[in-house]
Amino acid sequence: MDKNVIPDKHRAAFLVNFKSPLEMGYTDTIMPEGDQVLIRVSGAGICHSDVHVWEGIWYKGGSPGKLPHIQSHEISGIVVSTGNSVPERIKPGDPVLVYPWQWLEDDRYTAAGLTNIPDRPVVPGINIHGGFQEYFPVSHYRYLINATGIEDLPALAPLSCGGLTTYRAVKKLGGKLKPDDYVAVVGLGGLGSYALQYLRLLFPQVNIIGADIRNDSIEFAEGICRMDGYINSSSGDINKMIMETTRGHGFRGVIDLVGRGTLPTYSRALAKEGIYVMVGLMGTGVQEPISPFFTVSMEKTIAGSYVGTLSEQHEVVDLARKGLINYIKPVSSRMDLEDASEGLKNLEDGKALGRQVVVF
Ligand SMILES: [Zn+2]
């Protein structure tokens, strides 16, 4: 696109008052300088973290930095202008995904490739303005992943959080799994539908068991990736169901995408040498008990997994480009920017089946 057609101001949805509908307005278009890149947004996903920001429960922790605030950290789009230090390989017209887990300065973690846990993180949509706007200024070209060959650019957006977080979590099971082991995915919404696919792809030798409290979530996930069994934990004796489903073995791996009320039950169901990967942040502030005795005597591993590295972000887009994961089906609804508030409310009320994306 010609630089001349980039407007001075563009439409954006602003969080002005917590828990109130976002307000539509205009904001200045920031032309890129130096390492910066301006993109025209194609898709901006809605994540559960956005609900926490929208509700104001992370405000004391610095998210958002200030109001009014522009939400969404899952952003895909088209490059429209580049700063004069940006390499020539990045040019207007390029389709891109924005890696949102950015950092203010390099430190020992980013130097080691652990860009997901820098000392000074700064995340669009969470700390600074995000993707609920027509044009988005990317602070450095290193955060852009080329999306050439991706046919549905808006649907790619959630791969920068939902589809990335689950990839890193599933990779943490590597080296632990043997043929015929059982692995559980706890929570079968949008995140679950990515996690199941990564398990199938990376560990085809295991039995994959999905668990959720909703039948429609189980059906949604099953429509995207075949499971070897599932557990509806809303009724009946959950421990008995787990033992029946795993033929008495328990789980060698658990990917917990919920993180509220799930740890005591599913960590107890871990087999010897099993690994439990905590991903879900629904239980912000929640403390859950686990057994030191069984963790020690059965050599269980309890691990946390936080989003994903910049390197893993490239890998995830490559998997989508090669058609090895379905990134389109986990997107259960698409909406206009004006309806982003409705999307946040859907998620807060537990009404969203998969990922929701604002499409421009
Ligand atoms: Zn997110």
Side-chain angles (χ1 to χ4, degrees):
M1 181 184 287
D2 194 293
K3 186 172 181 290
N4 295 329
V5 303
I6 298 170
D8 292 338
K9 288 181 180 295
H10 61 264
R11 278 187 328 133
F14 293 94
L15 170 62
V16 179
N17 296 299
F18 294 123
K19 290 194 174 192
S20 296
L22 306 179
E23 295 181 17
M24 294 302 300
Y26 284 83
T27 188
D28 290 338
T29 307
I30 302 165
M31 291 308 292
E33 294 174 1
D35 296 322
Q36 301 167 345
V37 176
L38 182 69
I39 69 167
R40 191 175 73 244
V41 178
S42 300
I46 305 176
C47 172
H48 214 277
S49 301
D50 294 316
V51 175
H52 294 319
V53 171
W54 179 64
E55 289 175 336
I57 61 174
W58 284 0
Y59 192 41
K60 276 190 180 161
S63 309
K66 62 179 188 324
L67 296 174
H69 174 69
I70 301 174
Q71 296 201 250
S72 178
H73 52 277
E74 298 180 333
I75 308 163
S76 61
I78 305 282
V79 172
V80 292
S81 183
T82 56
N84 54 15
S85 308
V86 175
E88 279 182 18
R89 63 181 164 81
I90 298 168
K91 54 193 182 306
D94 285 352
V96 290
L97 178 69
V98 179
Y99 178 71
W101 313 105
Q102 303 173 6
W103 57 98
L104 276 179
E105 60 198 28
D106 284 321
D107 57 46
R108 70 178 76 181
Y109 298 103
T110 62
L114 291 167
T115 60
N116 57 321
I117 48 170
D119 281 331
R120 297 190 68 194
V122 57
V123 182
I126 304 285
N127 313 109
I128 58 172
H129 287 330
F132 284 169
Q133 54 179 327
E134 291 174 315
Y135 290 84
F136 175 74
V138 182
S139 62
H140 196 289
Y141 64 85
R142 69 184 167 203
Y143 301 129
L144 296 179
I145 288 80
N146 188 291
T148 301
I150 292 289
E151 63 186 46
D152 189 340
L153 194 55
L156 193 71
L159 282 198
S160 65
C161 181
L164 175 65
T165 302
T166 42
Y167 181 61
R168 181 170 178 80
V170 168
K171 276 176 59 182
K172 291 208 172 199
L173 301 178
K176 290 272 189 183
L177 303 178
K178 297 177 176 63
D180 213 30
D181 276 347
Y182 286 84
V183 177
V185 173
V186 181
L188 294 176
L191 285 180
S193 65
Y194 297 117
L196 293 172
Q197 295 190 72
Y198 294 133
L199 275 170
R200 239 332 139 231
L201 184 67
L202 300 178
F203 306 111
Q205 77 276 29
V206 304
N207 300 299
I208 303 172
I209 309 298
D212 205 288
I213 56 173
R214 287 166 51 179
N215 276 329
D216 57 353
S217 296
I218 294 169
E219 281 166 25
F220 177 74
E222 181 73 30
I224 296 170
C225 184
R226 186 180 63 78
M227 292 179 265
D228 296 295
Y230 62 83
I231 293 167
N232 183 331
S233 49
S234 66
S235 60
D237 182 339
I238 176 72
N239 297 312
K240 192 163 164 244
M241 281 191 275
I242 291 171
M243 282 306 138
E244 279 174 8
T245 312
T246 63
R247 303 189 343 261
H249 292 292
F251 297 116
R252 183 80 69 168
V254 172
I255 304 292
D256 183 354
L257 303 171
V258 180
R260 185 168 59 193
T262 43
L263 186 61
T265 300
Y266 287 94
S267 66
R268 193 176 148 194
L270 267 189
K272 286 178 186 173
E273 255 206 317
I275 174 167
Y276 193 101
V277 185
M278 281 188 275
V279 180
L281 286 174
M282 278 177 72
T284 301
V286 167
Q287 304 290 320
E288 298 205 346
I290 57 164
S291 160
F293 180 79
F294 288 113
T295 305
V296 171
S297 63
M298 293 173 70
E299 291 214 325
K300 298 178 181 183
T301 301
I302 309 287
S305 187
Y306 184 63
V307 296
T309 66
L310 182 54
S311 168
E312 287 163 339
Q313 184 73 90
H314 282 276
E315 293 170 30
V316 161
V317 174
D318 284 336
L319 292 177
R321 188 170 12 235
K322 284 180 179 294
L324 291 170
I325 55 161
N326 188 325
Y327 65 97
I328 298 174
K329 279 190 175 178
V331 177
S332 58
S333 74
R334 301 176 192 230
M335 58 194 68
D336 294 330
L337 185 58
E338 287 77 4
D339 299 322
S341 307
E342 213 172 294
L344 288 164
K345 196 81 183 68
N346 282 342
L347 207 48
E348 184 185 43
D349 296 342
K351 285 183 186 159
L353 266 182
R355 303 301 277 190
Q356 306 176 103
V357 177
V358 168
V359 177
F360 293 80

